[in-house]
Amino acid sequence: MKKVFACAGMFVLLLAITLAAQFYLDSLPEEKKVKKEEKGTVSNYIVPDADYLSFYELETFETHLPVVHINTDGAQIMKENKVWASLAVAEAPLDGSMRSITEEPDYEEAVQINYRGASSFSQFDKKQYRVKFFKKEGGTKDKEVSFLGMGKHSEWVLNGPFLDKTLMRNRLVYEIGREINEWAPDSRYVELFVNGEYQGVYLAIEPVTNGEARLRLCEFGLASGECAYIVKRDRVETEESPLDVYGHYAGKTFNDLFIDYPSKSNLTEPQKAWITKDIDDFERVLYGEYFDDPQQGYAKYIDVDAFVDYVVLNEFVLNHDAGNLSTYVYKELGGKLKPVIWDYNNAFDNYQWFAMDYKQFYLTRNSWFDRLLQDRAFVDKVVKRYRELRENTLSEEKIFADIDAYKEELGDATERNFKIWGYTFHEDLMSGDNTLHYDAESYEEAIVQLKGAIHARGTFMDEHIEDLYANCVN
């Protein structure tokens, strides 16, 4: 309880300071007041390269989607090191009308940009980007921006669907997650130009970060090191200093856990020690003899309902990686662990290395969830929640309607995207058994495949969700 009071006390103090500052600002003459969000004037964007467009038989085109222009001023974008750039946005017309890409953008901001991703970076031609907005180029103060109408923040991801030829798996699953979870990433479609060259359709996404429009975690910690935090599980050696916790050294979990918040520049040694011990304590209990005890077992450490929702969603969408890769978990000061959904390029049988088996469950073998799904009480909740969600949010009728809506939203942008990336329809990007798993040879075929995967997975889970009880040890 002291933890909660400490955070609350700091919050009250900050609130008082904020109110006093606002009272002062309100008393200033109008000309001295600072606007809440000033968008930068356009001065440094590159006009789309006409020769480049002509080469791909695009010429000058119009679009009803937002257009993002990135200009690195000749600097090469890299993965490890960020470079300065300007990011200009031509917003989508509110009435849904078309807008020429030759029109000057509406605003421009200074950003740092770098490549992101693991397999997507090393194997895909269409690159993924991470951008962070700053008040000025070369400055140290970031700037929170309502990027494309989403909640204000300085950090964003530009995801370029490449392996996913429907261009919509991430968008689809994130929107489902936003209906189910306390928080899930918001996203918007854009058409992207980098240094004047058209890159096709991208999805601007809120990454898993703290902030008023994101996870809203307490920014203050206690003297003991106790603090709100975000950890992510990813490939070994993805980052430095993985957490040395029980699940890892006892061989119970896969890959490594890394602290994602507080950031490296703000993380103190007491905080790192406290987070390590907190995860270690949880894993010892989870993989211990009395893991299913309602008071002293895993339920003492996690938000059970949030983990149940995570299992239901990730099993339904056939996310083989859930729990082992691109897996984020956060904890508020004085709260319990909660998972966050992330990265669904491979969902619904779009895994690059092998065909997914619609008739099996995957999280029963993945970190943490393997043990949770051995508890009958947890499986009870999973079965009940799946039945509930299948009536509405996960119904085939609703999801198919969402897919059709995204297809309509993208409109002619899909044709332009595949003017650049259409060669992928004629390449073998999937290495699974081609009798079960194959590359779509057209956009329409990709949509048919997606709907077929959803139907097959839903049919199996409707009939076999209770098979999860066979895994229980109590």
Side-chain angles (χ1 to χ4, degrees):
M1 210 50 167
K2 291 180 180 178
K3 307 168 189 173
V4 177
F5 286 150
C7 192
M10 293 177 185
F11 174 78
V12 170
L13 178 59
L14 275 178
L15 180 61
I17 294 172
T18 301
L19 290 174
Q22 186 62 50
F23 177 80
Y24 170 74
L25 287 173
D26 290 341
S27 67
L28 288 174
E30 195 67 31
E31 64 272 13
K32 291 189 177 181
K33 292 182 181 179
V34 178
K35 294 179 181 179
K36 290 185 178 179
E37 181 179 350
E38 293 182 349
K39 293 186 175 179
T41 57
V42 177
S43 61
N44 200 35
Y45 98 102
I46 296 179
V47 176
D49 188 323
D51 291 337
Y52 186 87
L53 291 173
S54 179
F55 178 82
Y56 287 102
E57 300 178 339
L58 284 169
E59 312 305 337
T60 297
F61 63 83
E62 294 183 330
T63 181
H64 62 288
L65 294 177
V67 179
V68 173
H69 300 267
I70 292 173
N71 176 15
T72 66
D73 198 24
Q76 182 179 352
I77 300 175
M78 297 180 287
K79 189 172 192 292
E80 301 302 329
N81 299 315
K82 300 175 182 178
V83 298
W84 285 102
S86 65
L87 184 150
V89 177
E91 296 177 325
L94 295 177
D95 61 2
S97 60
M98 308 295 280
R99 180 173 179 176
S100 172
I101 56 164
T102 61
E103 289 185 32
E104 184 176 284
D106 297 295
Y107 67 92
E108 183 179 280
E109 302 286 355
V111 299
Q112 282 190 336
I113 184 169
N114 65 302
Y115 291 131
R116 61 171 298 277
S119 58
S120 63
F121 172 74
S122 61
Q123 300 180 43
F124 300 165
D125 294 339
K126 193 176 185 180
K127 298 304 183 186
Q128 322 295 319
Y129 303 96
R130 187 152 188 154
V131 297
K132 184 171 184 176
F133 289 84
F134 283 82
K135 292 185 177 180
K136 64 178 181 179
E137 183 174 339
T140 57
K141 294 184 178 180
D142 59 6
K143 180 177 182 180
E144 294 193 341
V145 175
S146 302
F147 189 38
L148 305 169
M150 293 183 278
K152 292 176 69 173
H153 204 280
S154 62
E155 297 182 46
W156 302 87
V157 161
L158 291 172
N159 171 257
F162 183 75
L163 190 65
D164 174 18
K165 295 171 185 175
T166 70
L167 311 178
M168 64 178 66
R169 278 176 169 81
N170 270 314
R171 177 72 181 273
L172 178 65
V173 180
Y174 289 149
E175 288 303 310
I176 293 173
R178 287 173 67 79
E179 295 182 36
I180 298 173
N181 302 138
E182 184 175 291
W183 183 84
D186 199 0
S187 61
R188 297 286 190 279
Y189 282 121
V190 303
E191 296 197 65
L192 178 68
F193 286 82
V194 176
N195 293 325
E197 297 185 348
Y198 182 62
Q199 303 298 307
V201 171
Y202 272 69
L203 190 64
I205 306 172
E206 296 179 323
V208 181
T209 42
N210 191 33
E212 185 64 25
R214 304 278 169 89
L215 291 178
R216 304 183 72 178
L217 300 177
C218 184
E219 296 182 2
F220 302 97
L222 306 181
S224 62
E226 183 173 356
C227 60
Y229 64 83
I230 304 170
V231 294
K232 65 178 179 182
R233 189 179 299 280
D234 224 322
R235 289 176 175 82
V236 175
E237 297 183 354
T238 298
E239 295 182 17
E240 297 178 353
S241 303
L243 294 181
D244 187 21
V245 289
Y246 176 76
H248 174 73
Y249 57 74
K252 302 292 186 181
T253 58
F254 298 96
N255 297 318
D256 280 336
L257 280 174
F258 305 92
I259 298 175
D260 205 57
Y261 175 83
S263 64
K264 291 180 181 178
S265 59
N266 294 323
L267 181 69
T268 66
E269 284 301 320
Q271 286 174 334
K272 182 178 180 180
W274 189 88
I275 295 170
T276 301
K277 184 178 185 305
D278 196 50
I279 296 292
D280 188 84
D281 289 347
F282 162 60
E283 290 187 334
R284 286 178 180 277
V285 169
L286 178 65
Y287 290 102
E289 184 177 357
Y290 303 105
F291 79 110
D292 56 347
D293 184 280
Q295 280 74 46
Q296 299 302 316
Y298 66 80
K300 179 180 177 181
Y301 298 87
I302 70 170
D303 184 318
V304 176
D305 290 339
F307 273 78
V308 166
D309 284 346
Y310 187 89
V311 169
V312 170
L313 179 59
N314 283 280
E315 284 290 5
F316 182 77
V317 307
L318 279 168
N319 182 19
H320 173 271
D321 292 338
N324 288 343
L325 291 171
S326 298
T327 298
Y328 288 81
V329 179
Y330 70 98
K331 183 174 182 177
E332 178 58 290
L333 185 64
K336 293 185 177 182
L337 291 167
K338 298 180 182 181
V340 185
I341 64 171
W342 184 252
D343 193 3
Y344 291 92
N345 181 60
N346 297 130
F348 291 122
D349 196 20
N350 199 51
Y351 209 68
Q352 186 177 10
W353 296 280
F354 55 82
M356 301 292 289
D357 185 348
Y358 295 92
K359 298 182 179 181
Q360 68 168 284
F361 293 102
Y362 285 91
L363 272 74
T364 54
R365 296 171 293 181
N366 293 3
S367 303
W368 293 1
F369 297 96
D370 55 352
R371 188 62 163 159
L372 291 172
L373 286 164
Q374 290 182 344
D375 178 30
R376 185 169 297 272
F378 188 85
V379 173
D380 281 340
K381 287 179 174 289
V382 169
V383 171
K384 180 181 178 182
R385 184 60 166 156
Y386 174 75
R387 300 291 187 203
E388 290 174 352
L389 292 174
R390 190 68 166 138
E391 292 295 318
N392 41 71
T393 306
L394 294 183
S395 70
E396 188 170 296
E397 180 181 11
K398 180 187 179 301
I399 296 176
F400 282 12
D402 289 341
I403 291 172
D404 293 340
Y406 297 142
K407 182 180 178 183
E408 183 177 354
E409 179 185 354
L410 286 167
D412 294 341
T414 57
E415 295 179 20
R416 292 190 288 272
N417 179 81
F418 290 115
K419 286 284 187 178
I420 307 293
W421 308 110
Y423 67 87
T424 59
F425 289 126
H426 311 293
E427 292 196 353
D428 182 16
L429 298 178
M430 305 291 193
S431 57
D433 182 349
N434 287 334
T435 63
L436 298 173
H437 197 62
Y438 55 93
D439 288 273
E441 296 181 359
S442 70
Y443 180 70
E444 292 298 333
E445 185 179 339
I447 296 294
V448 170
Q449 284 184 3
L450 174 59
K451 288 185 175 180
I454 292 168
H455 173 74
R457 185 56 168 176
T459 299
F460 167 75
M461 288 186 66
D462 288 347
E463 298 174 359
H464 295 275
I465 187 67
E466 294 185 4
D467 288 359
L468 287 170
Y469 286 113
N471 198 54
C472 296
V473 296
N474 54 7

